[in-house]
Amino acid sequence: MIYKIFPVILFSFFLIFSNPEVYSTPETSIKNQTAIQIKPTFDSKEDSIYRSLNSNNFDLPSLEGFKEALKGFYSLKEKGIIQKDILTLVDFSLSSNVKRLWVIDMSTNTILYNSLVAHGRNTGEEFANSFSNANSSFKSSLGFYATGEIYKGKHGMSLKLDGLEKGVNNNARERGVVIHSADYVSNEFIKCNKRLGRSQGCPAIPKEVLNNIVNTIKNKSCLFIYHPSRSFQEVLASVS
């Protein structure tokens, strides 16, 4: 009888130890399930927020750019680096001939503004494709910024920016990369030149929206300049 039972017992032990899901405590099982569920849950949240955006009759940003912006927005808000529930997204994957800047009220999921925005003269012609953090490069810098204070400069009313990513955009204030208005950021310029005008590296916007946008996003809100050439892992590694 023992000879008949022993092989069954031996086989049962083999099954238990060869299957970590069977041989686990309830605590371990919960941890494994949590680890598996974290990413899908967060992705689902981003998708849900995107689907619930009130477009306010504006075009929606791309899902890819919005999701990258949202990840950084939550992280920076949690750290206290930004204080407002305002997210400004610039999508430099798009043609400069279309409105590629969005100002979003995250407390209501409402797009407040959608505007043309310029890139640097050495960043590209119609499309942005080359970026820099260096002085006198006349190139745009990607990544996350905290908006600063309003001041009056050579372009009139302007908004200072603090780059939050070391080696990517942290020289923004030193370089004088600010939000300002310019005549070359207009549909008229596009009609005459077949592309938007370009700045010395600043995200310049049209004169008619400057006052509203700057007063909405000033003083510690989140600005994200997106381009698909950078992964979010690179972003996380460089945020200071």
Side-chain angles (χ1 to χ4, degrees), residues 11 28 38 49-50 53 65 88 113 128 130 139 142 162 166-167 176 191 198 201 203 219 232:
F11 183 67
T28 305
I38 284 174
I49 292 172
Y50 182 80
L53 278 177
T88 303
Y113 305 102
S130 181
K139 291 185 178 183
L142 300 175
D162 290 301
K166 187 175 181 181
K191 288 177 184 176
R198 296 166 299 166
N219 299 331
F232 190 66

Coordinates of all heavy atoms in Angstrom, one line a residue, residues 11 28 38 49-50 53 65 88 113 128 130 139 142 162 166-167 176 191 198 201 203 219 232:
F11 N 4.9 13.0 -6.6 CA 4.4 13.7 -7.8 C 3.8 15.0 -7.4 O 4.0 16.1 -8.0 CB 3.4 12.9 -8.6 CG 3.0 13.6 -9.9 CD1 3.8 13.8 -10.9 CD2 1.6 14.0 -10.0 CE1 3.4 14.5 -12.1 CE2 1.2 14.6 -11.1 CZ 2.1 14.8 -12.2
T28 N 2.5 37.0 -1.2 CA 3.2 37.0 -2.5 C 2.3 37.0 -3.7 O 2.6 37.8 -4.6 CB 4.1 35.7 -2.6 OG1 4.9 35.6 -1.4 CG2 4.9 35.7 -3.8
I38 N -0.1 47.2 -12.4 CA 0.2 48.6 -12.3 C 0.2 49.3 -13.7 O -0.5 50.3 -13.9 CB 1.6 48.8 -11.6 CG1 1.5 48.6 -10.1 CG2 2.2 50.2 -11.9 CD1 2.8 48.6 -9.4
I49 N -8.6 59.7 -19.4 CA -8.5 61.1 -19.3 C -8.5 61.7 -20.7 O -9.2 62.7 -21.0 CB -7.2 61.5 -18.6 CG1 -7.3 61.2 -17.1 CG2 -7.0 63.1 -18.7 CD1 -6.1 61.4 -16.3
Y50 N -7.8 61.1 -21.7 CA -7.7 61.6 -23.0 C -9.1 61.5 -23.7 O -9.6 62.5 -24.3 CB -6.8 60.7 -23.9 CG -6.6 61.2 -25.3 CD1 -5.8 62.3 -25.6 CD2 -7.3 60.6 -26.3 CE1 -5.6 62.7 -26.9 CE2 -7.1 61.0 -27.6 CZ -6.3 62.1 -27.9 OH -6.1 62.5 -29.2
L53 N -11.4 64.4 -22.5 CA -11.1 65.8 -22.7 C -12.2 66.5 -23.4 O -12.8 66.1 -24.4 CB -9.8 65.8 -23.6 CG -8.4 65.7 -23.0 CD1 -7.4 65.7 -24.0 CD2 -8.2 66.7 -21.9
G65 N 1.6 62.1 -27.5 CA 2.2 63.3 -26.8 C 1.5 63.6 -25.5 O 2.1 64.0 -24.5
T88 N 0.5 72.6 -20.3 CA 0.7 73.1 -21.7 C 1.6 72.1 -22.4 O 2.7 71.7 -22.0 CB 1.5 74.5 -21.7 OG1 0.7 75.4 -20.9 CG2 1.6 75.0 -23.1
Y113 N -6.9 76.6 -24.7 CA -6.3 77.3 -25.9 C -5.6 76.3 -26.8 O -5.1 75.3 -26.3 CB -5.3 78.4 -25.5 CG -5.9 79.4 -24.6 CD1 -5.5 79.3 -23.2 CD2 -6.7 80.4 -25.0 CE1 -6.1 80.3 -22.3 CE2 -7.2 81.3 -24.1 CZ -6.9 81.3 -22.8 OH -7.4 82.2 -21.9
A128 N 10.3 70.4 -37.0 CA 11.4 70.4 -36.0 C 12.0 69.1 -36.0 O 11.4 68.0 -35.9 CB 10.8 70.8 -34.6
S130 N 15.9 69.0 -34.9 CA 17.2 69.0 -34.3 C 17.1 70.0 -33.1 O 16.6 71.1 -33.2 CB 18.2 69.6 -35.3 OG 19.5 69.7 -34.7
K139 N 18.4 76.8 -31.4 CA 17.6 75.6 -31.5 C 16.6 75.5 -30.3 O 16.9 76.0 -29.2 CB 18.5 74.3 -31.5 CG 19.3 74.2 -32.8 CD 20.1 72.8 -32.7 CE 20.9 72.6 -34.0 NZ 21.5 71.3 -34.0
L142 N 13.7 70.3 -26.0 CA 12.6 69.5 -25.6 C 12.4 69.4 -24.1 O 13.2 70.0 -23.3 CB 12.7 68.1 -26.2 CG 12.9 68.1 -27.8 CD1 13.1 66.7 -28.2 CD2 11.6 68.6 -28.4
D162 N 11.8 77.7 -16.8 CA 12.8 77.0 -16.1 C 12.8 75.6 -16.6 O 11.9 74.8 -16.3 CB 12.6 77.0 -14.6 CG 12.9 78.4 -14.0 OD1 14.0 79.0 -14.2 OD2 11.9 79.0 -13.4
K166 N 18.2 68.1 -16.8 CA 19.6 68.3 -16.9 C 20.1 67.9 -18.2 O 19.9 66.7 -18.7 CB 20.3 67.7 -15.8 CG 21.8 68.0 -15.7 CD 22.4 67.4 -14.4 CE 23.9 67.8 -14.3 NZ 24.5 67.2 -13.1
G167 N 20.9 68.7 -18.9 CA 21.5 68.4 -20.2 C 20.5 68.5 -21.4 O 21.0 68.3 -22.5
G176 N 17.8 82.6 -22.3 CA 16.7 83.5 -22.6 C 15.6 82.8 -23.4 O 14.9 83.5 -24.2
K191 N 1.0 81.8 -45.2 CA 0.5 81.9 -46.6 C 1.6 82.5 -47.5 O 1.7 82.1 -48.7 CB -0.7 82.9 -46.6 CG -1.9 82.3 -46.1 CD -3.1 83.3 -46.0 CE -4.3 82.7 -45.4 NZ -5.4 83.7 -45.3
R198 N 10.4 81.3 -37.7 CA 11.1 80.6 -36.6 C 11.8 81.6 -35.7 O 12.1 82.7 -36.0 CB 12.2 79.7 -37.3 CG 11.6 78.6 -38.1 CD 12.6 77.9 -39.0 NE 13.2 78.9 -39.9 CZ 14.3 78.7 -40.7 NH1 14.9 77.5 -40.6 NH2 14.7 79.6 -41.5
G201 N 15.0 80.0 -30.7 CA 14.9 78.9 -29.7 C 13.7 79.0 -28.8 O 13.4 78.0 -28.1
P203 N 9.6 79.2 -27.8 CA 8.3 78.8 -28.3 C 7.4 80.0 -28.4 O 6.6 80.3 -27.6 CB 7.8 77.9 -27.2 CG 8.5 78.3 -25.9 CD 9.8 78.9 -26.3
N219 N 3.7 81.2 -13.5 CA 3.9 80.9 -12.1 C 3.7 79.4 -11.7 O 2.7 79.1 -11.1 CB 3.1 81.8 -11.1 CG 3.5 83.3 -11.3 OD1 4.6 83.6 -11.6 ND2 2.5 84.2 -11.0
F232 N 10.1 58.3 -22.8 CA 9.8 58.8 -21.5 C 10.8 58.3 -20.5 O 11.0 59.0 -19.5 CB 8.4 58.4 -21.0 CG 7.9 59.1 -19.8 CD1 7.7 60.4 -19.8 CD2 7.8 58.4 -18.6 CE1 7.3 61.1 -18.6 CE2 7.4 59.0 -17.4 CZ 7.2 60.4 -17.4

